[in-house]
Amino acid sequence: MLVVHHLNNSRSQRVLWLLEELGVPYEVRRYERDAKTMLAPPELLAIHPLGKSPVITDGDKTIAETGAIIEYILDAYGNGRLIPPAGTPERLRFTYWLHYAEGSAMTPLLLKLVFTALPARAPGLLKGLVKAIAAKAQSGFVDPQLKSHIDYWNAELSKSEWFAGPEFTAADVIMSFPLEAAVSRAGAGSRPKVKAFLDRIHARPAYRAALQRGGEYAYAD
């Protein structure tokens, strides 16, 4: 059986959601972040050398990286579902968003997380300096980058209800985490089309079922 090695409050929630949408049987093995560092536990190193989540195992195969996992699941279990037909404009958009979600969207979100957390972890005498540097980095680079991405999402979702076109696809699954994280970290919920998209996905029965299977997930609402 396919096994999802699932870390709480992580991008692997999308993998559970995709499997629920497709009705694929799977097992969840849960891992908890370290309460102080928020890093994945060392037990994940036994599954994959980088010790990161998401990662799945299916028989003798181990697949990491969300985009690769989604492609594998669609190829192995999708039977043509949640992916537009080859050669269509929607398929090209699907492929773009599949790579964009981790390749472009997550970079400024990760930087926002790092620079927000950095001052609290600095030594006492350096806290003031680190706080000033972090604030400058955010206001001068990270926040403008995030605004550009959020405006872009809102504009694209004004063209069609879903990212790849008029039909819900796995592109919407992979794009869910950047949008959810951006609501939490960068006020993306003020954009009407972004908010409407998140309201739609959060109402999907498969999304709710995945939350039940996955446990703690801070970005659901």
Side-chain angles (χ1 to χ4, degrees):
M1 178 178 286
L2 190 151
V3 178
V4 181
H5 299 272
H6 174 63
L7 182 66
N8 65 304
N9 286 332
S10 81
R11 308 176 203 187
S12 65
Q13 185 64 38
R14 295 174 293 187
V15 178
L16 306 183
W17 177 24
L18 176 63
L19 291 167
E20 291 290 341
E21 290 282 356
L22 293 171
V24 177
Y26 65 97
E27 176 187 341
V28 179
R29 293 185 189 167
R30 295 187 186 181
Y31 302 79
E32 297 293 320
R33 294 181 182 275
D34 183 277
K36 291 183 178 179
T37 67
M38 296 305 293
L39 296 177
E43 288 82 2
L44 270 171
L45 287 167
I47 311 303
H48 188 275
L50 293 180
K52 303 289 186 182
S53 180
V55 60
I56 66 170
T57 49
D58 193 12
D60 60 355
K61 296 182 283 292
T62 300
I63 304 101
E65 295 294 336
T66 310
I69 291 169
I70 286 176
E71 287 194 285
Y72 172 81
I73 291 171
L74 291 177
D75 287 345
Y77 300 102
N79 295 317
R81 293 172 292 166
L82 299 187
I83 182 170
T88 63
E90 289 79 14
R91 180 62 167 267
L92 183 58
R93 286 177 59 81
F94 171 91
T95 302
Y96 168 76
W97 293 114
L98 193 68
H99 291 276
Y100 165 90
E102 293 293 308
S104 295
M106 285 307 301
T107 301
L109 286 163
L110 179 60
L111 289 173
K112 182 72 172 178
L113 183 65
V114 169
F115 283 119
T116 299
L118 203 56
R121 301 187 181 187
L125 293 176
L126 295 177
K127 279 189 183 295
L129 177 61
V130 172
K131 184 177 181 180
I133 293 172
K136 185 68 175 177
Q138 290 190 69
S139 64
F141 176 72
V142 178
D143 290 345
Q145 285 289 310
L146 279 172
K147 181 180 183 302
S148 294
H149 283 278
I150 294 167
D151 288 344
Y152 176 48
W153 305 336
N154 198 67
E156 290 298 303
L157 289 168
S158 298
K159 299 175 183 177
S160 60
E161 191 173 53
W162 303 108
F163 275 100
E167 302 294 330
F168 174 82
T169 70
D172 302 296
V173 174
I174 198 168
M175 281 298 297
S176 63
F177 189 87
L179 271 67
E180 289 173 328
V183 168
S184 174
R185 302 174 197 172
S190 64
R191 307 305 199 278
K193 296 300 182 180
V194 170
K195 184 179 184 305
F197 170 84
L198 292 175
D199 287 344
R200 286 195 298 275
I201 66 170
H202 290 166
R204 293 181 72 87
Y207 185 98
R208 309 309 298 182
L211 291 179
Q212 293 295 317
R213 294 291 302 272
E216 180 187 358
Y217 183 60
Y219 302 121
D221 295 304

